[in-house]
Amino acid sequence: MFSFSITAIAFGVVFLAELPDKTALAGLMLGTRYRASYVFAGVAAAFAVHVALAIAAGSVLTLLPHRLVQAVVGILFLLGAAMLLLKKDDGDEEVKPPADQSFWKVSGAGFMLILVAEFGDLTQIMTANLAARYDDPVSVGIGAVLALWAVAGIGILGGRTLMKYVPLRLITKIAAAVMAALAAFSLYEAIAG
């Protein structure tokens, strides 16, 4: 069963959490050197794999008692908010682009970059949390993957322009506030439930 509201929540949380991430910058760098569609194909495939893994992990959590899951999810959302607020800039990471500009080489480089860089990342953890919280893997998965693809597209096609108008710190603070609110709600349900 598909829920538009759960998809929208997943999209918003994951989108805001991923915008200040280094992978958007890596996508921007690859996108400035290579055909954007090739880079996006690889990046999009890697994000789909990450969302599938996160949804599977979140679905396993739903097998546990509801109050326990809500408490764990609330704590993880709080940790996610703290990670966003306390995260220091890593600086620009150098990404080795492929020498060959064929579709398979460029998309493969984008895929491997995201697959490695995003494994166990905050957005993957948040996606698992949302899947556990709402027990609707399809809606959460669609929202999360669309958010990650949107950030990748923004990073590849116009990240520099966006960052001129929207300060990264503001995006980070909004994402942290949303996660803190979700944490409070989950912890309330764990206690009151």
Side-chain angles (χ1 to χ4, degrees), residues 3 21 25 43 56 68 80 82 101 108 121 129-130 139 146 152 155-156 173 184:
S3 168
D21 197 55
L25 298 174
V43 168
L68 175 63
Q101 293 199 24
D121 192 52
N129 287 347
L130 290 166
S139 300
L146 289 176
I156 291 167
K173 287 180 182 178

Side-chain angles (χ1 to χ4, degrees), residues 8-154:
I9 289 168
F11 181 91
V13 168
V14 172
F15 183 85
L16 288 172
E18 187 64 23
L19 259 184
D21 197 55
K22 64 186 174 287
T23 53
L25 298 174
L28 170 67
M29 194 194 82
L30 286 173
T32 59
R33 294 183 183 176
Y34 299 102
R35 180 177 278 178
S37 61
Y38 290 7
V39 174
F40 184 78
V43 168
F47 277 135
V49 169
H50 276 286
V51 168
L53 292 172
I55 293 297
S59 296
V60 168
L61 287 176
T62 62
L63 301 175
L64 299 173
H66 181 72
R67 292 177 87 175
L68 175 63
V69 170
Q70 291 307 319
V72 169
V73 167
I75 290 167
L76 289 173
F77 272 129
L78 278 178
L79 290 173
M83 286 172 61
L84 277 176
L85 291 174
L86 301 174
K87 178 171 99 171
K88 297 198 185 328
D89 282 336
D90 297 344
D92 289 337
E93 291 186 7
E94 188 62 33
V95 177
K96 279 220 162 214
D100 181 3
Q101 293 199 24
S102 72
F103 172 80
W104 293 109
K105 294 284 184 178
V106 173
S107 63
F111 179 84
M112 290 308 296
L113 172 71
I114 298 303
L115 194 67
V116 172
E118 289 291 305
F119 197 81
D121 192 52
L122 177 64
T123 53
Q124 194 175 32
I125 294 167
M126 291 298 105
T127 302
N129 287 347
L130 290 166
R133 168 147 184 45
Y134 292 109
D135 195 17
D136 186 350
V138 172
S139 300
V140 170
I142 289 170
V145 82
L146 289 176
L148 292 168
W149 288 355
V151 171
I154 289 168

